[in-house]
Amino acid sequence: MLQQTTFTLESRPRGFHLVTDEVVAGAPDLGDVEAGLLHLWIRHTSASLTVNENASPDVRRDFESWVNDAVPEAATYWTHTLEGPDDMPAHIKASLMGPSLTLPVSGGRLALGTWQGIYLCEHRDRGGAREVVATLVA
Amino acid sequence: MLQQTTFTLESRPRGFHLVTDEVVAGAPDLGDVEAGLLHLWIRHTSASLTVNENASPDVRRDFESWVNDAVPEAATYWTHTLEGPDDMPAHIKASLMGPSLTLPVSGGRLALGTWQGIYLCEHRDRGGAREVVATLVA
Amino acid sequence: MLQQTTFTLESRPRGFHLVTDEVVAGAPDLGDVEAGLLHLWIRHTSASLTVNENASPDVRRDFESWVNDAVPEAATYWTHTLEGPDDMPAHIKASLMGPSLTLPVSGGRLALGTWQGIYLCEHRDRGGAREVVATLVA
C-alpha cells in the first residue's frame, strides 16, 4: 500500500524548528498502519529536515549557532553571491542536514525514540512557506 | 511485503564502530529477498548511523578526530550544557551523520559495495546500548 | 511493486556534478508510476549523492570550496594516509553528503522542486566510474 500527499509547512524565521505535529497532520493518516515507512521530501534547496532532541529550545538554538559557524557567510570563497549573503550558505546547510527523512511507523504512530522530534531547518533569512511531499509505504 | 523488527546494538565507547554483522543479525531475514530495501532507524539523538570503509580501523579513528574538530566541545556558543560537554556536540554530530540508513537488498543480501560497511557512530562518552528499528520492504 | 537496476555514472573530475538526467536514464522507468519512491545507492565510500540547486554552476563550485575547507587535507590528525592526501577527506565527505537518496515519484516523474537536481559528489582526484543501485517502490 502506498499513499502520497503534499502539504505546506508555514513560514518560519531562520533557525531550527520542531514540526512533528505539523508533519503528522499533513502526512497520510498513520492510524491504521501496523508497520510501515513514512518518507518526507522538502521541495527546496535552502531548507532541510532532520530529527533531534524534542524538549529543549536551547538545543535548536545551538544547532543554528553551530551551522552558522560551520558554514560562515563571511567565507572568502563564495562565488554564488547574487541572492544575498545567506543564500549560498543555505544551500550547503540544506545538503548537510538533508532534504528528506524516512521514518519508521509502528502501531499507528511514528516509531520515534522518546526524545526524537522532526526539525524543519530554515536556512534563509526569509524562506517563506515550505512544501513537503509525504509518501507512506505500508 | 513489509517486515519490521527492533533490536539493540550493544553499548560501545565513543567513536565510530563497524556493526554490519550485528545489524544483519537483528534485521528481518534477507535470505529470500530477491530485491528490496532495508531501512534502519536509531531511536536516539546522540548516536547515528552511516556507511563507510569496512577495512581499516584508522578510517574509523579519523572519523572521530574529524567530528571532534568540526563540532568542538569548547565552542563558546553552546547554551545547552546541563548534560555535560559531550552532550550538545553529540546532538549536532547525530544530525550530521543522520539517524537512518536505507540500504538496497539484492539476491538475499545487502547490496553494498565491496568496501562498504555499516557504522554505529557513538557520540556520547557513555551512550549505553542503542535501539534500532529495522524495516524491510520487498 | 518493486524494481531494481544497477547502472554506472561516468567518470568525472573531483567536484559536484549535476546528474539528474543520467540517473533517470539508468533507473527503472518512472513513466507509469502514479506515486512511488526511487531509492539510489552509490556503492562507494569516497563519492556521494545529494540534491541541490540545478541552475548555477557556481553553486556546485562553492560546494567544492566549502567541503575542502570543512574537511581539510592538511589536517594534522589524519592517520589513514596510505592512499594519498585526498583519500581520508573523501571518506568523511562521503558520509557528510551521504551514500543514498530516496526521492518521491509522482505522475510518472521525480517529484523534485523546481530548483532541485541530483548531484554526484566526486571526492577523489581520480575516482573513476561510480556504480549506483536504483530501487523503485510503487
Side-chain angles (χ1 to χ4, degrees):
Chain A
M1 192 267 289
L2 194 146
Q3 284 178 274
Q4 199 169 62
T5 62
T6 299
F7 64 94
T8 298
L9 292 171
E10 63 172 49
S11 181
R12 286 178 167 84
R14 178 166 156 175
F16 290 70
H17 304 277
L18 195 58
V19 295
T20 314
D21 292 349
E22 203 173 329
V23 165
V24 170
D29 181 44
L30 306 178
D32 290 330
V33 179
E34 194 55 42
L37 294 173
L38 177 64
H39 175 261
L40 303 169
W41 181 265
I42 196 161
R43 301 182 75 218
H44 305 273
T45 61
S46 58
S48 55
L49 297 169
T50 193
V51 163
N52 220 287
E53 210 261 25
N54 60 17
S56 307
D58 4 330
V59 172
R60 301 193 286 281
R61 185 172 47 215
D62 287 358
F63 260 87
E64 178 65 12
S65 297
W66 177 81
V67 86
N68 290 332
D69 189 39
V71 192
E73 295 194 359
T76 54
Y77 44 73
W78 304 128
T79 63
H80 182 78
T81 54
L82 262 181
E83 295 168 65
D86 62 322
D87 181 58
M88 190 57 225
H91 288 307
I92 306 275
K93 294 167 184 177
S95 278
L96 261 190
M97 293 293 138
S100 79
L101 291 170
T102 306
L103 307 168
V105 181
S106 184
R109 308 169 9 138
L110 293 177
L112 301 179
T114 311
W115 299 103
Q116 291 183 315
I118 303 172
Y119 286 14
L120 168 68
C121 320
E122 176 54 71
H123 304 303
R124 294 302 308 265
D125 289 341
R126 283 175 198 79
R130 299 300 197 168
E131 200 180 3
V132 174
V133 184
T135 306
L136 174 66
V137 179
Chain B
M1 194 267 289
L2 194 146
Q3 285 177 273
Q4 199 170 61
T5 62
T6 299
F7 64 95
T8 299
L9 292 171
E10 65 172 48
S11 181
R12 286 177 167 84
R14 178 166 156 175
F16 289 70
H17 304 277
L18 194 60
V19 295
T20 314
D21 293 349
E22 203 173 330
V23 165
V24 170
D29 182 43
L30 306 178
D32 290 331
V33 180
E34 194 55 41
L37 294 173
L38 178 63
H39 175 262
L40 303 170
W41 180 266
I42 195 160
R43 301 183 75 218
H44 306 272
T45 61
S46 58
S48 55
L49 297 169
T50 193
V51 162
N52 219 287
E53 210 261 24
N54 59 17
S56 307
D58 4 328
V59 172
R60 300 193 288 281
R61 184 171 48 216
D62 288 359
F63 261 87
E64 177 65 13
S65 298
W66 177 80
V67 86
N68 290 331
D69 190 38
V71 192
E73 295 193 1
T76 54
Y77 44 73
W78 303 128
T79 63
H80 181 77
T81 53
L82 262 181
E83 295 168 64
D86 62 321
D87 181 60
M88 190 57 225
H91 288 308
I92 306 275
K93 294 167 185 178
S95 278
L96 261 190
M97 293 292 139
S100 79
L101 291 170
T102 306
L103 307 168
V105 181
S106 184
R109 307 168 8 137
L110 294 177
L112 301 179
T114 311
W115 300 102
Q116 289 183 315
I118 302 171
Y119 287 13
L120 168 68
C121 320
E122 176 54 70
H123 303 304
R124 293 302 309 265
D125 290 340
R126 285 174 197 79
R130 298 300 197 169
E131 201 181 3
V132 174
V133 183
T135 307
L136 174 66
V137 178
Chain C
M1 193 267 289
L2 194 147
Q3 284 177 276
Q4 200 170 62
T5 63
T6 300
F7 64 94
T8 299
L9 292 171
E10 64 173 47
S11 181
R12 285 177 168 84
R14 177 166 156 176
F16 290 69
H17 305 278
L18 195 58
V19 295
T20 314
D21 292 348
E22 204 173 328
V23 165
V24 170
D29 182 43
L30 306 178
D32 290 331
V33 180
E34 195 54 42
L37 294 173
L38 177 64
H39 174 262
L40 303 170
W41 181 264
I42 195 160
R43 301 183 73 219
H44 304 272
T45 61
S46 56
S48 55
L49 297 169
T50 194
V51 162
N52 219 287
E53 208 262 25
N54 60 17
S56 307
D58 5 327
V59 172
R60 301 192 288 280
R61 185 172 48 216
D62 288 357
F63 261 87
E64 177 66 13
S65 298
W66 178 80
V67 86
N68 290 332
D69 189 38
V71 192
E73 296 194 0
T76 53
Y77 46 73
W78 303 128
T79 63
H80 182 77
T81 54
L82 263 181
E83 295 169 64
D86 62 323
D87 181 60
M88 189 58 224
H91 288 308
I92 306 275
K93 294 167 184 175
S95 279
L96 262 190
M97 293 293 138
S100 79
L101 291 170
T102 306
L103 308 168
V105 181
S106 184
R109 311 173 0 144
L110 293 177
L112 301 180
T114 312
W115 300 101
Q116 290 183 314
I118 303 171
Y119 286 14
L120 168 68
C121 321
E122 176 54 71
H123 304 303
R124 294 301 309 264
D125 290 340
R126 285 174 197 80
R130 298 300 196 170
E131 201 179 3
V132 174
V133 183
T135 306
L136 173 67
V137 178

PDB file of all heavy atoms in Angstrom, chain C residues 56-72:
ATOM      1  N   SER C  56      22.798  27.058 -11.359  1.00  0.00           N
ATOM      2  CA  SER C  56      24.060  27.799 -11.431  1.00  0.00           C
ATOM      3  C   SER C  56      25.269  26.907 -11.190  1.00  0.00           C
ATOM      4  O   SER C  56      25.392  26.317 -10.111  1.00  0.00           O
ATOM      5  CB  SER C  56      24.096  28.885 -10.356  1.00  0.00           C
ATOM      6  OG  SER C  56      22.963  29.699 -10.420  1.00  0.00           O
ATOM      7  N   PRO C  57      26.181  26.854 -12.137  1.00  0.00           N
ATOM      8  CA  PRO C  57      27.423  26.101 -11.893  1.00  0.00           C
ATOM      9  C   PRO C  57      28.207  26.647 -10.697  1.00  0.00           C
ATOM     10  O   PRO C  57      28.934  25.897 -10.050  1.00  0.00           O
ATOM     11  CB  PRO C  57      28.220  26.288 -13.189  1.00  0.00           C
ATOM     12  CG  PRO C  57      27.212  26.676 -14.222  1.00  0.00           C
ATOM     13  CD  PRO C  57      26.121  27.400 -13.493  1.00  0.00           C
ATOM     14  N   ASP C  58      28.039  27.932 -10.353  1.00  0.00           N
ATOM     15  CA  ASP C  58      28.791  28.456  -9.186  1.00  0.00           C
ATOM     16  C   ASP C  58      28.343  27.810  -7.882  1.00  0.00           C
ATOM     17  O   ASP C  58      29.140  27.735  -6.943  1.00  0.00           O
ATOM     18  CB  ASP C  58      28.708  29.974  -8.986  1.00  0.00           C
ATOM     19  CG  ASP C  58      27.791  30.714  -9.900  1.00  0.00           C
ATOM     20  OD1 ASP C  58      27.665  30.269 -11.056  1.00  0.00           O
ATOM     21  OD2 ASP C  58      27.210  31.719  -9.474  1.00  0.00           O
ATOM     22  N   VAL C  59      27.095  27.392  -7.811  1.00  0.00           N
ATOM     23  CA  VAL C  59      26.665  26.708  -6.586  1.00  0.00           C
ATOM     24  C   VAL C  59      27.481  25.429  -6.416  1.00  0.00           C
ATOM     25  O   VAL C  59      27.992  25.142  -5.328  1.00  0.00           O
ATOM     26  CB  VAL C  59      25.157  26.392  -6.616  1.00  0.00           C
ATOM     27  CG1 VAL C  59      24.763  25.508  -5.440  1.00  0.00           C
ATOM     28  CG2 VAL C  59      24.343  27.689  -6.594  1.00  0.00           C
ATOM     29  N   ARG C  60      27.652  24.680  -7.488  1.00  0.00           N
ATOM     30  CA  ARG C  60      28.398  23.417  -7.397  1.00  0.00           C
ATOM     31  C   ARG C  60      29.876  23.678  -7.105  1.00  0.00           C
ATOM     32  O   ARG C  60      30.519  22.952  -6.353  1.00  0.00           O
ATOM     33  CB  ARG C  60      28.195  22.596  -8.663  1.00  0.00           C
ATOM     34  CG  ARG C  60      26.697  22.295  -8.859  1.00  0.00           C
ATOM     35  CD  ARG C  60      26.391  21.266  -9.892  1.00  0.00           C
ATOM     36  NE  ARG C  60      26.603  21.681 -11.251  1.00  0.00           N
ATOM     37  CZ  ARG C  60      25.757  22.436 -11.976  1.00  0.00           C
ATOM     38  NH1 ARG C  60      24.634  22.889 -11.450  1.00  0.00           N
ATOM     39  NH2 ARG C  60      26.029  22.728 -13.233  1.00  0.00           N
ATOM     40  N   ARG C  61      30.423  24.741  -7.681  1.00  0.00           N
ATOM     41  CA  ARG C  61      31.810  25.118  -7.389  1.00  0.00           C
ATOM     42  C   ARG C  61      31.968  25.510  -5.921  1.00  0.00           C
ATOM     43  O   ARG C  61      32.949  25.131  -5.274  1.00  0.00           O
ATOM     44  CB  ARG C  61      32.212  26.276  -8.301  1.00  0.00           C
ATOM     45  CG  ARG C  61      33.668  26.686  -8.184  1.00  0.00           C
ATOM     46  CD  ARG C  61      34.021  27.701  -9.262  1.00  0.00           C
ATOM     47  NE  ARG C  61      33.001  28.754  -9.290  1.00  0.00           N
ATOM     48  CZ  ARG C  61      32.576  29.364 -10.402  1.00  0.00           C
ATOM     49  NH1 ARG C  61      33.080  29.056 -11.569  1.00  0.00           N
ATOM     50  NH2 ARG C  61      31.655  30.315 -10.333  1.00  0.00           N
ATOM     51  N   ASP C  62      31.011  26.238  -5.390  1.00  0.00           N
ATOM     52  CA  ASP C  62      31.097  26.664  -3.988  1.00  0.00           C
ATOM     53  C   ASP C  62      30.933  25.481  -3.026  1.00  0.00           C
ATOM     54  O   ASP C  62      31.502  25.494  -1.931  1.00  0.00           O
ATOM     55  CB  ASP C  62      30.045  27.751  -3.693  1.00  0.00           C
ATOM     56  CG  ASP C  62      30.409  29.094  -4.335  1.00  0.00           C
ATOM     57  OD1 ASP C  62      31.490  29.194  -4.952  1.00  0.00           O
ATOM     58  OD2 ASP C  62      29.606  30.046  -4.220  1.00  0.00           O
ATOM     59  N   PHE C  63      30.158  24.494  -3.417  1.00  0.00           N
ATOM     60  CA  PHE C  63      30.108  23.259  -2.615  1.00  0.00           C
ATOM     61  C   PHE C  63      31.511  22.665  -2.489  1.00  0.00           C
ATOM     62  O   PHE C  63      31.929  22.239  -1.406  1.00  0.00           O
ATOM     63  CB  PHE C  63      29.174  22.218  -3.265  1.00  0.00           C
ATOM     64  CG  PHE C  63      27.805  22.173  -2.666  1.00  0.00           C
ATOM     65  CD1 PHE C  63      26.801  23.010  -3.128  1.00  0.00           C
ATOM     66  CD2 PHE C  63      27.499  21.306  -1.632  1.00  0.00           C
ATOM     67  CE1 PHE C  63      25.524  22.976  -2.569  1.00  0.00           C
ATOM     68  CE2 PHE C  63      26.233  21.257  -1.061  1.00  0.00           C
ATOM     69  CZ  PHE C  63      25.243  22.096  -1.539  1.00  0.00           C
ATOM     70  N   GLU C  64      32.218  22.595  -3.596  1.00  0.00           N
ATOM     71  CA  GLU C  64      33.569  22.005  -3.578  1.00  0.00           C
ATOM     72  C   GLU C  64      34.501  22.848  -2.700  1.00  0.00           C
ATOM     73  O   GLU C  64      35.285  22.306  -1.919  1.00  0.00           O
ATOM     74  CB  GLU C  64      34.106  21.873  -5.006  1.00  0.00           C
ATOM     75  CG  GLU C  64      35.523  21.336  -5.128  1.00  0.00           C
ATOM     76  CD  GLU C  64      35.706  19.888  -4.676  1.00  0.00           C
ATOM     77  OE1 GLU C  64      34.709  19.169  -4.489  1.00  0.00           O
ATOM     78  OE2 GLU C  64      36.869  19.474  -4.488  1.00  0.00           O
ATOM     79  N   SER C  65      34.403  24.167  -2.789  1.00  0.00           N
ATOM     80  CA  SER C  65      35.240  25.030  -1.938  1.00  0.00           C
ATOM     81  C   SER C  65      34.928  24.808  -0.464  1.00  0.00           C
ATOM     82  O   SER C  65      35.829  24.668   0.361  1.00  0.00           O
ATOM     83  CB  SER C  65      35.003  26.511  -2.278  1.00  0.00           C
ATOM     84  OG  SER C  65      35.373  26.775  -3.612  1.00  0.00           O
ATOM     85  N   TRP C  66      33.658  24.773  -0.147  1.00  0.00           N
ATOM     86  CA  TRP C  66      33.288  24.611   1.260  1.00  0.00           C
ATOM     87  C   TRP C  66      33.740  23.266   1.815  1.00  0.00           C
ATOM     88  O   TRP C  66      34.303  23.183   2.909  1.00  0.00           O
ATOM     89  CB  TRP C  66      31.775  24.774   1.464  1.00  0.00           C
ATOM     90  CG  TRP C  66      31.431  24.549   2.900  1.00  0.00           C
ATOM     91  CD1 TRP C  66      31.564  25.447   3.920  1.00  0.00           C
ATOM     92  CD2 TRP C  66      31.014  23.322   3.508  1.00  0.00           C
ATOM     93  NE1 TRP C  66      31.245  24.857   5.118  1.00  0.00           N
ATOM     94  CE2 TRP C  66      30.904  23.552   4.889  1.00  0.00           C
ATOM     95  CE3 TRP C  66      30.724  22.049   3.005  1.00  0.00           C
ATOM     96  CZ2 TRP C  66      30.507  22.557   5.784  1.00  0.00           C
ATOM     97  CZ3 TRP C  66      30.333  21.061   3.900  1.00  0.00           C
ATOM     98  CH2 TRP C  66      30.226  21.319   5.270  1.00  0.00           C
ATOM     99  N   VAL C  67      33.508  22.212   1.071  1.00  0.00           N
ATOM    100  CA  VAL C  67      33.812  20.870   1.588  1.00  0.00           C
ATOM    101  C   VAL C  67      35.332  20.700   1.771  1.00  0.00           C
ATOM    102  O   VAL C  67      35.781  20.018   2.710  1.00  0.00           O
ATOM    103  CB  VAL C  67      33.147  19.793   0.683  1.00  0.00           C
ATOM    104  CG1 VAL C  67      33.985  19.420  -0.493  1.00  0.00           C
ATOM    105  CG2 VAL C  67      32.739  18.578   1.477  1.00  0.00           C
ATOM    106  N   ASN C  68      36.106  21.362   0.937  1.00  0.00           N
ATOM    107  CA  ASN C  68      37.570  21.318   1.121  1.00  0.00           C
ATOM    108  C   ASN C  68      38.010  22.122   2.337  1.00  0.00           C
ATOM    109  O   ASN C  68      39.007  21.784   2.983  1.00  0.00           O
ATOM    110  CB  ASN C  68      38.276  21.852  -0.131  1.00  0.00           C
ATOM    111  CG  ASN C  68      38.125  20.906  -1.305  1.00  0.00           C
ATOM    112  OD1 ASN C  68      37.988  19.695  -1.118  1.00  0.00           O
ATOM    113  ND2 ASN C  68      38.123  21.441  -2.515  1.00  0.00           N
ATOM    114  N   ASP C  69      37.265  23.154   2.644  1.00  0.00           N
ATOM    115  CA  ASP C  69      37.546  23.951   3.839  1.00  0.00           C
ATOM    116  C   ASP C  69      37.113  23.199   5.106  1.00  0.00           C
ATOM    117  O   ASP C  69      37.816  23.202   6.123  1.00  0.00           O
ATOM    118  CB  ASP C  69      36.782  25.279   3.722  1.00  0.00           C
ATOM    119  CG  ASP C  69      37.178  26.277   4.796  1.00  0.00           C
ATOM    120  OD1 ASP C  69      38.365  26.333   5.145  1.00  0.00           O
ATOM    121  OD2 ASP C  69      36.292  27.010   5.281  1.00  0.00           O
ATOM    122  N   ALA C  70      35.990  22.534   5.035  1.00  0.00           N
ATOM    123  CA  ALA C  70      35.429  21.846   6.205  1.00  0.00           C
ATOM    124  C   ALA C  70      36.167  20.546   6.517  1.00  0.00           C
ATOM    125  O   ALA C  70      36.215  20.114   7.672  1.00  0.00           O
ATOM    126  CB  ALA C  70      33.942  21.560   5.985  1.00  0.00           C
ATOM    127  N   VAL C  71      36.714  19.929   5.500  1.00  0.00           N
ATOM    128  CA  VAL C  71      37.437  18.656   5.686  1.00  0.00           C
ATOM    129  C   VAL C  71      38.811  18.809   5.034  1.00  0.00           C
ATOM    130  O   VAL C  71      39.064  18.307   3.939  1.00  0.00           O
ATOM    131  CB  VAL C  71      36.662  17.466   5.059  1.00  0.00           C
ATOM    132  CG1 VAL C  71      37.272  16.137   5.509  1.00  0.00           C
ATOM    133  CG2 VAL C  71      35.179  17.518   5.401  1.00  0.00           C
ATOM    134  N   PRO C  72      39.734  19.496   5.711  1.00  0.00           N
ATOM    135  CA  PRO C  72      40.994  19.888   5.068  1.00  0.00           C
ATOM    136  C   PRO C  72      41.973  18.723   4.911  1.00  0.00           C
ATOM    137  O   PRO C  72      42.172  17.949   5.841  1.00  0.00           O
ATOM    138  CB  PRO C  72      41.561  20.943   6.025  1.00  0.00           C
ATOM    139  CG  PRO C  72      40.873  20.724   7.328  1.00  0.00           C
ATOM    140  CD  PRO C  72      39.570  20.040   7.059  1.00  0.00           C
TER     141      PRO C  72
END
